[in-house]
Amino acid sequence: MTMATTSTPAETLPSVKSDYLPILLPIVLAAAALPFIGNPVTWVTLTVAALAMGMMIFVIASGLTLVFGLMDVLNFGHGAFIAVGAYIALSVLGLLSGWVQVDSLAWNLMALGLAVVVAMAGTGLIGWAFERVIVKPVYGQHLKQILITMGGLIVAEQLIHVLWGGDQKAMALPTALRGAIVVGDFAVEKFRILAVIVGLVVFVAMMLVLNRTKIGLLIRAGVENSEMVEALGYRIRRLFVGVFVAGSALAGLGGVMWALYRETLTAAIGGDIMVLVFIVIIIGGLGSVGGCFLGAILVAMMANYTAFLAPKIALASNILLMVAILMWRPQGLYPVAKR
Amino acid sequence: MSEPLLSLQGVHTHIGQYHILQGVDLVLPKDGMTVLLGRNGAGKTTTLRTIMGLWQPSQGTITFDGRSIGGMPTPDIAQGGIAYVPETMAVFADLTVAENMTLAARSGPVDAARLDWIFGLFPALKKFWQLPAGVLSGGQKQMLAIARAIAEPRRLILIDEPTKGIAPAIIEAMITAFAELKRETTILLVEQNFRFAASLGDHVAVMDDGRIVHRGAMADLARDETLQQRLLGLSLDAHQ
Ligand SMILES: Nc1ncnc2c1ncn2[C@@H]1O[C@H](COP(=O)(O)OP(=O)(O)OP(=O)(O)O)[C@@H](O)[C@H]1O
Ligand SMILES: [Mg+2]
């Protein structure tokens, strides 16, 4: 591409305001929480827990926000992929129990990696079928989307009961990932560090795809105005199916992480986190991956701090957070320019 | 008149329960620019959207270059060689000018010589090349929307009211651009600014209430003030 560079003086260009304000929010929130919590050791523990949880929420929410952004599809069945991913991983880890139980980080990670790959492949495949069979017939019809995708969620939960049984399962962490790394007074749980790393990798990878590839360019354009992308000659529906599959696979990954984090598993595991996921998507701005990332951290912080300070209002505090942010920015933190 | 590039025969379009196009017959010769005139709400935009496949015709045939395109998906119609500059411009505000152009050039990077030609027509685009299209002024966005349509050679370009709310200086640039453009490609221009339309158009069609009510040479209409008054009276007063 011939990038004819701008030969004109820069001062004649309109200034592009970079919007860094929302990035300060998690820092402000963390700082504000410290005096209430009092003990810095507790504060660090809660903050790390929040970051880990935030990354898991982000991994789950990122695909969903693009699914909505691209084709206005409201998928209330997304939680199914969380559960299915977790159950698939449970089975794989069961088969690899030797690798899981040995006290070796390398073998543990290998087992986990394999479980994640199978879980993501499985949820990706199911996501594809879900899109073709359940979502495709109701493009453009919001009420039907809500009803039918919720129906899909119920069917998926029932199928899990049939395949894996209805009882609560234990999802044991691999041996080397149990416990905490202790630095002085501070203890940071190993799995939380892993969760943060995975979340960051997913975020960076997504940003690279969105900002450095033609597919990413099409997705960003499609989130703004899918009709115009079609008028330029691209099949947005094909792109949408791809995003749906990737989003389902990511939900599967998030499900594996979430189950390991909680160390237990039921078919309804997606339910409680999905409430937070929807809040995150709204806070972040529908269709915005960057907003989703920031929103996930904020919501997880709020959840962890209030769970410690005032457990009874944990969920309410996040709804308050959402209301406050929407009063400040009605379209979310990083609204996507919409037609 | 040479063989038509595009023809609509008895095209009806419903939007929801509304019957908007009520039998549109429109023939676009291969050469030159056809201007589609008509008052607000006559159905001009709906006609372009129907050609583009953004609305499905409920009846009638649309033929482009000998092929029936009625009911085809929009991307296929675009790939057949039709470009569209919508009334809303629809530039991707969060994408840079460069990225907007990259998307418009489906078959690969924009050809260097062609880009130079486009920069010659619309110098502002060169200046703002790396900026998000959202920061452009209305006129500059319109230039980008047109530039996108001509990023690669296309057989037919549909342009919907490019002068709406645009500063006179930019309209002048547009006249120059379209005058050059119509030498390489067929253009269907929807316009309410009659002077602008008359200075560029070769052929003219006038719509009212979802039908074509007049078709002919632009020169004839430009000459005949009584006919103008009868066909366009109201909209001309309102617009210019
Ligand atoms: N999405 C829609 N839903 C319902 N009615 C619509 C829709 N779009 C257009 N219409 C109606 O269809 C008729 C034709 O509209 P259209 O936009 O094609 O007119 P137009 O000739 O382009 O007018 P203008 O000069 O104002 O752009 C109008 O009565 C309009 O109200
Ligand atoms: Mg119109």
Side-chain angles (χ1 to χ4, degrees):
Chain A
M1 160 133 241
T2 52
M3 291 286 156
T5 42
T6 48
S7 51
T8 36
E11 58 267 22
T12 61
L13 296 177
S15 62
V16 185
K17 309 180 283 299
S18 290
D19 183 9
Y20 294 124
L21 225 48
I23 297 175
L24 295 176
L25 285 181
I27 299 166
V28 170
L29 188 57
L34 182 54
F36 289 101
I37 293 165
N39 182 348
V41 174
T42 313
W43 179 79
V44 168
T45 306
L46 289 172
T47 306
V48 172
L51 289 177
M53 183 177 170
M55 291 304 108
M56 289 183 256
I57 297 176
F58 165 71
V59 167
I60 293 167
S62 55
L64 194 59
T65 198
L66 286 179
V67 159
F68 183 82
L70 262 187
M71 281 198 39
D72 277 7
V73 165
L74 295 170
N75 177 14
F76 278 68
H78 199 61
F81 302 110
I82 299 175
V84 171
Y87 273 92
I88 293 177
L90 178 74
S91 294
V92 175
L93 292 175
L95 292 173
L96 300 175
S97 57
W99 295 9
V100 174
Q101 279 154 16
V102 63
D103 189 7
S104 146
L105 187 61
W107 283 108
N108 289 171
L109 287 181
M110 208 117 82
L112 218 50
L114 210 59
V116 161
V117 167
V118 178
M120 288 181 78
T123 46
L125 198 68
I126 296 168
W128 177 78
F130 196 91
E131 203 286 331
R132 292 288 85 183
V133 176
I134 293 181
V135 176
K136 188 180 173 216
V138 292
Y139 283 161
Q141 303 168 24
H142 279 164
L143 182 61
K144 285 187 182 170
Q145 284 165 8
I146 294 173
L147 295 176
I148 199 169
T149 56
M150 279 180 135
L153 175 66
I154 294 167
V155 171
E157 283 184 7
Q158 295 309 312
L159 284 177
I160 287 174
H161 283 175
V162 172
L163 288 171
W164 280 281
D167 52 328
Q168 179 168 316
K169 307 279 188 207
M171 184 88 170
L173 273 174
T175 310
L177 288 171
R178 287 186 204 147
I181 293 173
V182 181
V183 186
D185 286 342
F186 301 101
V188 179
E189 284 183 37
K190 291 178 193 167
F191 181 72
R192 292 178 183 172
I193 298 174
L194 181 67
V196 170
I197 293 171
V198 171
L200 285 176
V201 167
V202 169
F203 177 62
V204 170
M206 261 180 122
M207 283 323 226
L208 285 177
V209 169
L210 285 175
N211 292 308
R212 297 266 186 280
T213 68
K214 179 104 181 218
I215 297 274
L217 193 54
L218 280 168
I219 293 173
R220 284 190 291 142
V223 168
E224 260 193 57
N225 189 341
S226 56
E227 193 176 275
M228 194 58 217
V229 173
E230 296 220 293
L232 289 175
Y234 301 94
R235 293 192 177 80
I236 201 92
R237 291 194 173 182
R238 209 178 273 176
L239 189 68
F240 175 73
V241 175
V243 168
F244 198 97
V245 168
S248 306
L250 283 173
L253 167 63
V256 179
M257 291 161 69
W258 186 233
L260 285 167
Y261 185 69
R262 306 209 325 180
E263 300 189 49
T264 61
L265 180 52
T266 68
I269 186 170
D272 36 343
I273 202 171
M274 277 312 289
V275 178
L276 298 183
V277 165
F278 282 117
I279 293 176
V280 161
I281 289 175
I282 293 167
I283 286 180
L286 295 163
S288 158
V289 172
C292 177
F293 183 76
L294 217 52
I297 292 175
L298 282 173
V299 161
M301 279 183 163
M302 206 67 174
N304 278 276
Y305 294 147
T306 49
F308 175 78
L309 292 169
K312 282 192 186 132
I313 62 157
L315 182 59
S317 70
N318 260 316
I319 290 170
L320 275 178
L321 175 73
M322 177 172 78
V323 171
I325 287 178
L326 292 184
M327 275 162 64
W328 177 42
R329 295 201 168 171
Q331 306 295 316
L333 292 175
Y334 285 117
V336 174
K338 274 274 180 188
R339 68 210 99 127
Chain B
M1 216 189 249
S2 62
E3 192 185 315
L5 179 65
L6 177 82
S7 73
L8 283 72
Q9 277 162 3
V11 170
H12 291 250
T13 299
H14 287 78
I15 304 178
Q17 79 262 41
Y18 303 105
H19 192 174
I20 310 291
L21 298 191
Q22 313 194 358
V24 171
D25 295 300
L26 181 64
V27 174
L28 230 64
K30 262 201 181 89
D31 57 298
M33 177 189 280
T34 302
V35 179
L36 185 58
L37 299 166
R39 58 175 183 81
N40 290 105
K44 306 178 297 292
T45 297
T46 306
T47 302
L48 295 196
R49 287 180 60 89
T50 304
I51 296 169
M52 216 50 219
L54 294 166
W55 298 129
Q56 297 299 321
S58 45
Q59 211 183 307
T61 57
I62 305 176
T63 315
F64 175 63
D65 198 28
R67 216 156 55 108
S68 167
I69 59 166
M72 259 167 62
T74 300
D76 295 358
I77 293 172
Q79 282 170 18
I82 305 184
Y84 179 43
V85 182
E87 200 169 11
T88 56
M89 302 180 277
V91 301
F92 303 112
D94 288 344
L95 272 52
T96 63
V97 172
E99 287 172 329
N100 270 274
M101 291 298 284
T102 302
L103 279 185
R106 272 197 307 274
S107 54
V110 190
D111 176 71
R114 198 168 174 90
L115 197 58
D116 276 342
W117 170 63
I118 293 172
F119 285 158
L121 294 173
F122 306 121
L125 298 184
K126 182 171 185 177
K127 191 156 124 194
F128 300 142
W129 189 240
Q130 292 298 347
L131 291 186
V135 307
L136 302 182
S137 72
Q140 291 159 348
K141 281 183 185 144
Q142 190 61 261
M143 291 179 183
L144 176 56
I146 296 164
R148 243 180 3 190
I150 61 177
E152 288 177 338
R154 304 273 181 249
R155 318 279 306 281
L156 170 65
I157 304 180
L158 314 176
I159 309 177
D160 200 347
E161 292 203 50
T163 62
K164 200 167 72 179
I166 301 296
I170 293 182
I171 295 185
E172 287 309 313
M174 248 180 235
I175 292 181
T176 317
F178 289 167
E180 272 192 43
L181 206 55
K182 70 180 203 174
R183 270 185 255 136
E184 85 157 25
T185 181
T186 312
I187 298 176
L188 175 56
L189 175 76
V190 166
E191 195 44 75
Q192 299 224 29
N193 178 336
F194 186 68
R195 256 186 287 148
F196 180 80
S199 67
L200 285 162
D202 303 297
H203 321 283
V204 64
V206 181
M207 272 195 102
D208 200 17
D209 276 337
R211 285 189 192 84
I212 303 288
V213 293
H214 170 86
R215 249 160 54 183
M218 181 54 107
D220 295 341
L221 181 62
R223 220 177 289 126
D224 190 341
E225 278 188 31
T226 346
L227 188 59
Q228 281 173 38
Q229 201 61 36
R230 181 165 69 77
L231 291 171
L232 310 161
L234 272 175
S235 71
L236 280 183
D237 290 344
H239 208 265
Q240 188 86 161

